[in-house]
């Protein structure tokens, strides 16, 4: 997907095409949609199994939802948001992530009055003005899970298990390894003491930092710990470590979480420099990193955010969640040559000759489809040669033909395209005959269930 986008853009510009997609966004073409559909099915199935219910928040929110929720000094808020004014001059932003909007909805709909924790999941597009590169888009899809209203390390462990379980279902779990850390709480004895020592440690060393980190030293010193630039990394290794500052409660919480992960058989790496790029986290933070390339292509990240609901105007409410990038997962599935069930293959092509035959085919096609037989025709083409050429492109196993003779005799020809033989069947028996030829297993008889009045 991503590899070819730059090439396509160049090619289109060379060809002088006026309309190309904006940089950093991509079309999800039918072959890739098969992966998206499969991933969504897996996510929905695992969500149902664990009692999560689906939520969709708007594609845009008031800018403050994200600026306050994610933190004004984060890269996302300071550099990556798509912010615009509506016609009344109100500042709106396309959602760069799903947690802040979900929390806004939790508060606005009084979900604290429901049985706690409230367990929600989403599968949505998100928008970040990121520097486009492999696996990094300006519009990308995430599935995410949020557990709001209860605090226990067992919940964090269960959620991490769910994240891993989904990647196992998708066949890519082996490529990733869980990185985990605790960044403590806002209690005076915990993170604030660490931040003071961290700032003191960097005081006078600003010239050894990269340009980004020089700014971060003032605004968001925690992010100094996960810079990928060599000099910054060396300094971070020499500096204070959060685990030495955790208060009693945070230390015990983290210890139990690691114990529960062992109980669930989840392999992890304790990573003291994992801090995440969003300000709302407390205690647990985690990411699933590519075993070869590390943090750059994390497919999934999350953690606990016990202060966010209160920060956004709700009652003090603990919460934990994660989100995973669907494009990155698809890329990995393709890289591993993982194939997904292909449901778009067609069963029958219906060809017709003459106006009366076209009428017969029109109803026949609806009946075939109702019976679960995936059917196409070329009703807009009159010549039989053009129709068969069209049929060839779809590689259908059967073709049904109705011409002037068949209309007169009330029959249809069913041709087996592989064997090359054909049968004349009474028009009224075509659907039954096709069902027999295909076999019940191959019919597409999906039903969403019936509406109730
Ligand atoms: P995040 O780490 O910013 O966390 O994003 C989660 C995942 O979304 C990443 O691991 C990555 O796979 C994917 N992703 C992020 N940015 C891009 C991009 N520009 N292009 C393609 N994929 C991307 C969050 O968004 C938090 N809301 C997760 C969370 C939920 N924490 C608690 N609850």
């Amino acid at each position: 997907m991503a590899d070819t986008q730059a090439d396509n853009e160049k090619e289109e510009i060379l060809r002088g095409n006026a309309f190309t997609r904006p940089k950093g966004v991509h079309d999800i073409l039918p072959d890739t949609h098969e992966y998206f559909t499969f991933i969504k099915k897996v996510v929905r199935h695992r969500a149902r199994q664990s009692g999560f219910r689906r939520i969709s928040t708007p594609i845009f929110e008031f800018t403050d939802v994200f600026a306050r929720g994610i933190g004004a000094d984060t890269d996302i808020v300071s550099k990556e948001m798509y912010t615009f004014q509506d016609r009344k001059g109100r500042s709106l932003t396309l959602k760069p992530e799903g947690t802040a909007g979900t929390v806004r909805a939790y508060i606005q709909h009084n979900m604290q009055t429901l049985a706690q924790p409230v367990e929600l999941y989403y599968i949505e597009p998100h928008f970040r003005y990121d520097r486009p590169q492999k696996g990094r888009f300006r519009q990308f899809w995430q599935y995410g899970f949020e557990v709001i209203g209860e605090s226990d390390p067992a919940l964090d462990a269960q959620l991490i298990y769910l994240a891993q379980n989904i990647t196992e279902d998708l066949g890519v779990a082996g490529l990733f390894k869980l990185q985990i850390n605790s960044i403590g709480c806002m209690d005076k004895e915990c993170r604030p003491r660490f931040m003071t020592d961290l700032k003191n440690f960097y005081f006078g060393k600003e010239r050894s930092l990269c340009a980004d980190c020089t700014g971060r030293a003032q605004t968001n010193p925690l992010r100094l710990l996960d810079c990928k630039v060599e000099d910054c990394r060396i300094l971070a290794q020499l500096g204070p470590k959060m685990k030495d500052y955790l208060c009693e409660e945070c230390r015990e919480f983290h210890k139990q979480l690691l114990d529960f992960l062992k109980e669930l058989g989840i392999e992890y790496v304790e990573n003291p420099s994992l801090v995440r790029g969003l300000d709302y986290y407390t205690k647990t933070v985690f990411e699933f990193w590519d075993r070869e390339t590390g943090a750059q292509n994390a497919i999934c990240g999350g953690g606990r955010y016990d202060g966010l609901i209160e920060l956004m105007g709700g009652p003090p409410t603990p919460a934990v969640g994660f989100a995973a990038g669907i494009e990155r997962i698809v890329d990995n599935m393709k890289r591993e040559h993982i194939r997904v069930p292909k449901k778009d293959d067609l069963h029958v092509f219906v060809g017709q000759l003459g106006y009366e035959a076209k009428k017969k085919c029109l109803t026949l096609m609806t009946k075939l489809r109702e019976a679960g037989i995936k059917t196409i025709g070329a009703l807009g083409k009159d010549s039989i040669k053009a129709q068969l050429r069209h049929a060839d492109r779809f590689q259908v196993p059967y073709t049904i033909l109705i011409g002037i003779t068949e209309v007169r005799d009330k029959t249809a020809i069913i041709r087996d395209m592989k064997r090359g033989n054909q049968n004349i069947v009474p028009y009224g028996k075509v659907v039954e005959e096709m069902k027999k030829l295909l076999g019940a297993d191959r019919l597409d008889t999906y039903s969403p269930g019936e509406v109730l009045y």
Side-chain angles (χ1 to χ4, degrees), residues 216-270:
R216 286 179 190 142
Q218 302 305 322
T219 57
N220 198 355
L222 208 55
R223 290 307 311 268
L224 293 168
L225 300 181
D226 76 348
C227 181
K228 311 291 171 299
V229 175
E230 182 74 11
D231 285 354
C232 300
R233 269 184 33 210
I234 294 170
L235 261 184
Q237 274 163 16
L238 299 172
K241 301 279 177 298
M242 184 69 225
K243 74 173 183 343
D244 302 325
Y245 290 77
L246 293 179
C247 64
E248 192 48 41
E249 192 203 320
C250 288
R251 184 171 311 130
E252 183 56 26
F253 192 99
H254 196 59
K255 192 171 142 251
Q256 286 189 20
L257 169 58
L258 298 185
D259 198 30
F260 293 151
L261 290 179
K262 276 187 212 128
E263 181 68 24
L264 289 167
I266 300 176
E267 240 191 289
Y268 60 81
V269 176
E270 278 194 84

Side-chain angles (χ1 to χ4, degrees), residues 26-141:
H26 57 92
D27 302 306
I28 307 171
L29 298 177
D31 284 348
T32 299
H33 251 302
E34 284 172 1
Y35 287 85
F36 270 70
T37 305
F38 184 71
I39 293 170
K40 286 178 195 172
K41 276 188 186 164
V42 166
V43 169
R44 290 208 305 261
H45 168 235
R46 289 298 179 194
R48 274 198 307 273
Q49 272 186 337
S50 334
F52 283 80
R53 301 192 68 206
R54 189 160 175 183
I55 186 168
S56 287
T57 57
I59 294 289
F60 58 83
E61 299 262 4
F62 287 121
T63 301
D64 265 0
V65 169
F66 305 117
R68 294 210 64 192
I70 301 168
D73 294 325
T74 58
D75 283 356
I76 295 183
V77 173
S78 63
K79 301 188 208 158
E80 296 172 1
M81 295 208 303
Y82 279 93
T83 297
F84 56 97
Q85 292 203 332
D86 72 3
R87 287 173 187 271
K88 291 211 167 140
R90 289 169 294 216
S91 180
L92 300 170
T93 293
L94 298 186
K95 60 176 166 185
E97 59 99 51
T99 311
T102 305
V103 165
R104 197 263 314 129
Y106 176 90
I107 299 168
Q108 190 162 0
H109 299 283
N110 283 324
M111 292 193 215
Q112 65 271 20
T113 59
L114 307 176
Q116 305 291 304
V118 173
E119 299 188 303
L120 300 168
Y121 78 102
Y122 46 86
I123 307 173
E124 301 274 314
H126 295 86
F127 306 85
R128 293 185 193 174
Y129 191 79
D130 226 332
R131 196 155 55 83
Q133 51 187 288
K134 190 165 165 44
R136 203 166 278 279
F137 304 103
R138 290 182 173 169
Q139 177 181 337
F140 58 96
W141 284 75

Side-chain angles (χ1 to χ4, degrees), residues 97 99 128 130 135 137 142 146 276 280-281 298-300 321 325:
E97 59 99 51
T99 311
R128 293 185 193 174
D130 226 332
F137 304 103
Q142 282 184 344
E146 313 288 356
R276 307 269 300 133
Y280 49 61
Y281 293 111
I299 48 154
C300 170

Side-chain angles (χ1 to χ4, degrees), residues 185-203 205 217-218 220-222 224-225 239-242 245:
C185 64
M186 293 317 285
D187 189 89
K188 273 208 301 289
E189 293 307 304
C190 201
R191 195 157 359 134
R193 197 159 63 88
F194 174 64
M195 296 297 272
T196 308
D197 282 7
L198 197 63
K199 275 188 191 156
N200 288 341
F201 170 77
Y202 280 103
F203 186 75
K205 300 187 178 73
Q218 302 305 322
N220 198 355
L222 208 55
L224 293 168
L225 300 181
K241 301 279 177 298
M242 184 69 225
Y245 290 77

